[in-house]
Amino acid sequence: MQTCTLAVDIGASSGRHIAGIVQNGKITLQEVYRFENGVHRENGHLCWDIDTLAQEVVNGLKAAHDAGFAPATIGIDTWAVDFVLLDADNKRIGDAVAYRDERTEGIREALEKEYGLTFADHYARTGIQYQPFNTVYQLMALKKEHPEQLAAAKTFLMVPDYLNYLLCGVPANEYTNASTTALVGADSRDWDDALIEKLGLPRGIFQPIKTAGTVLGHLSPEIQKAVGFDAEVILPATHDTGSAFLAVPARDEYAAYLSSGTWSLLGVENAAAITGPDSCAANFTNEGGYEYRYRYLKNIMGLWMIQSVRRELGEKTGTRPSFPELIAAAKEAADFPSCVDPDDNRFLAPVSMIEEVRAACADTHQPVPAATGEVMQCVYNSLTQDYRRAVETLQSLTGKTYTSLNIVGGGSQDGYLNQQTANATGLTVFAGPTEGTALGNLMVQFIHSGDFADLAEARAAIRRSFEIKEYQPE
């Protein structure tokens, strides 16, 4: 059996278990398990199948063992904002509602009207951007629809917190994910008790906030029996973007970061939060990062639009086109000029992404894409122009001029998007590593194990271990 660390990296559409090993200062990765993820409608809401996710986590641990690996530590990262509640008997209450659900419509306005909490005041306290699905809005929507669930709740756990709890029995809220609730003070880095009280939420459900690198405990005896080994359950940056930012092999302080997946998260790491009016107006967020860094970034819709187009075409024809086929179609329509706003909520969960893109073009009096290639080129135009605006705003807010954009995650494999991004932003683009999120998860575990002394040493190892492609503006 080969000793390793194991990253359980779960995104909105799929999850994977990746074994990581450090030898001679270089990192090697091996995927040992992969599974599908998605939402379904349950009791009137879009929900995650959290029980299946939990079982897939265990299935992947067993697959790692069966592949000849002996994980010493295990870390889980997922998307942010979503949560579950447990009752006094540690049983889950209700469904794991997904962030794309419509239940939070109108909640921001209700907070201002009913609780006197303007977004400007809220932002000044937490530094978290407005997104209609922020955890605070989800909790207030739950309070309105099912107050009995909040009344019965004893424990609040975000999705990775809950999966950790099922593995080792220790309830805890991890900092990088907790910060996305918009209930954690930007400066205190702890639950904002005054804000929680003002909103009438039960303070007792929120767990002590733990930082990445904390060991929660060992796999429970039941899990050990199921998977065939024991290991420590350790907290990485459980928010996948927090992990992805760790894996950016930035060359200097003038490098901006782009985590490119279902969402595109573009920004930098700061030592202090930026919570002034200009930052609020620009809707940049100050999410918690590793070692209390602040991930100062802009949320952009990202590859969700492309993923949705691909899925929709597959439903129509019975066979999903490959990403290379979609890229080739876009190249054939490279001169198509139209561009939409990817951040418009109309693209969050449309019935048809293709028709929504067409409607948005018509609404703004632009040429309406007809063929698939034109739809794809419109999406590429839209994403890269959004990246350009985000970089320009970032420079204005931080007072820095950035010279490169470092792209990690699945989107870093899209050479066409990378080149279009370099052209739109005027920045040198460095693309890779692809498995940025899982790699960032593993880096925290590598530092814990002593394979690397600190983050700087781990990032240097990334540059030695993985291919980083360079794209110059044309």
Side-chain angles (χ1 to χ4, degrees):
M1 301 293 284
Q2 186 171 19
T3 301
C4 71
T5 58
L6 189 67
V8 183
D9 172 30
I10 307 176
S13 59
S14 66
R16 60 207 62 81
H17 290 57
I18 295 181
I21 298 170
V22 178
Q23 290 180 322
N24 301 318
K26 295 185 71 173
I27 302 167
T28 58
L29 306 178
Q30 182 174 329
E31 182 179 298
V32 296
Y33 191 71
R34 181 175 285 265
F35 57 92
E36 294 297 314
N37 188 27
V39 297
H40 66 283
R41 192 156 288 277
E42 187 81 21
N43 298 319
H45 294 290
L46 288 176
C47 299
W48 303 106
D49 187 348
I50 196 73
D51 293 328
T52 296
L53 277 182
Q55 185 58 54
E56 291 286 23
V57 169
V58 175
N59 293 344
L61 300 186
K62 187 175 187 305
H65 175 268
D66 293 347
F69 290 100
T73 57
I74 298 164
I76 299 176
D77 69 79
T78 77
W79 62 96
V81 305
D82 290 342
F83 63 92
V84 300
L85 300 175
L86 306 183
D87 64 17
D89 296 321
N90 294 319
K91 303 298 183 184
R92 196 176 73 248
I93 302 171
D95 300 311
V97 178
Y99 61 84
R100 293 189 189 277
D101 185 72
E102 64 275 7
R103 67 175 173 170
T104 58
E105 290 180 6
I107 295 296
R108 171 179 165 174
E109 293 75 15
L111 293 193
E112 183 165 348
K113 182 178 180 180
E114 299 174 26
Y115 295 88
L117 180 65
T118 67
F119 178 68
D121 289 341
H122 198 164
Y123 184 87
R125 298 182 74 98
T126 68
I128 298 299
Q129 68 185 324
Y130 171 71
Q131 294 283 4
F133 46 72
N134 286 347
T135 313
V136 63
Y137 302 131
Q138 293 198 51
L139 282 167
M140 296 306 287
L142 182 66
K143 181 181 178 183
K144 182 177 181 181
E145 183 182 11
H146 289 295
E148 75 284 358
Q149 292 187 11
L150 273 178
K154 297 299 181 185
T155 306
F156 165 93
L157 296 174
M158 304 191 79
V159 169
D161 301 330
Y162 179 60
L163 297 175
N164 282 327
Y165 171 74
L166 294 179
L167 289 183
C168 69
V170 179
N173 296 138
E174 188 273 326
Y175 172 62
T176 65
N177 225 315
S179 71
T180 70
T181 63
L183 290 169
V184 172
D187 295 325
S188 71
R189 301 160 176 162
D190 203 353
W191 298 114
D192 187 326
D193 290 345
L195 179 59
I196 291 169
E197 181 180 1
K198 183 181 184 69
L199 296 176
L201 296 171
R203 174 63 180 88
I205 66 175
F206 300 101
Q207 305 304 297
I209 293 178
K210 306 290 186 181
T211 57
T214 299
V215 175
L216 287 184
H218 283 259
L219 295 176
S220 70
E222 294 79 11
I223 299 296
Q224 289 181 40
K225 183 177 180 181
V227 303
F229 64 91
D230 185 21
E232 288 183 319
V233 178
I234 190 170
L235 293 176
T238 64
H239 182 193
D240 50 12
T241 309
S243 279
F245 266 45
L246 289 179
V248 174
R251 286 161 169 76
D252 55 42
E253 63 179 301
Y254 301 103
Y257 304 174
L258 174 59
S259 175
S260 181
T262 300
W263 289 92
S264 289
L265 298 309
L266 192 153
V268 293
E269 288 181 318
N270 287 335
I274 301 175
T275 58
D278 290 344
S279 183
C280 178
N283 208 34
F284 267 66
T285 200
N286 296 268
E287 294 175 352
Y290 180 62
E291 293 182 332
Y292 288 127
R293 292 170 171 82
Y294 292 88
R295 289 178 287 110
Y296 189 60
L297 54 86
K298 179 78 170 180
N299 268 49
I300 297 167
M301 188 65 75
L303 302 186
W304 165 250
M305 298 182 76
I306 296 174
Q307 292 164 352
S308 297
V309 169
R310 178 173 178 256
R311 181 173 56 252
E312 190 174 335
L313 291 172
E315 291 171 353
K316 289 180 179 178
T317 65
T319 303
R320 288 186 183 183
S322 68
F323 288 109
E325 287 172 336
L326 291 176
I327 292 168
K331 288 181 177 179
E332 291 180 2
D335 293 333
F336 189 77
S338 297
C339 182
V340 300
D341 178 7
D343 302 325
D344 193 316
N345 285 340
R346 70 192 300 169
F347 301 118
L348 193 60
V351 173
S352 166
M353 183 65 75
I354 293 172
E355 292 307 317
E356 201 65 47
V357 168
R358 288 171 175 160
C361 289
D363 291 346
T364 51
H365 309 292
Q366 299 179 84
V368 176
T372 296
E374 291 180 344
V375 173
M376 286 298 300
Q377 186 59 40
C378 180
V379 172
Y380 278 119
N381 293 342
S382 304
L383 289 176
T384 55
Q385 288 305 308
D386 212 354
Y387 296 162
R388 176 189 60 78
R389 290 190 295 269
V391 169
E392 291 173 352
T393 304
L394 181 66
Q395 293 182 144
S396 174
L397 292 170
T398 62
K400 282 187 174 182
T401 299
Y402 297 98
T403 57
S404 66
L405 183 63
N406 292 253
I407 303 178
V408 297
S412 68
Q413 300 176 92
D414 190 334
Y416 185 60
L417 178 58
N418 296 338
Q419 186 61 62
Q420 296 300 305
T421 299
N423 296 346
T425 62
L427 300 179
T428 299
V429 166
F430 296 103
T434 300
E435 290 289 359
T437 303
L439 184 55
N441 178 327
L442 290 167
M443 286 164 64
V444 174
Q445 299 183 61
F446 290 147
I447 293 169
H448 168 74
S449 67
D451 286 302
F452 299 116
D454 52 27
L455 182 56
E457 190 174 297
R459 280 176 167 162
I462 291 175
R463 290 192 287 271
R464 293 192 301 269
S465 306
F466 301 96
E467 180 184 13
I468 310 296
K469 293 184 178 180
E470 181 175 336
Y471 299 82
Q472 293 291 341
E474 294 177 345

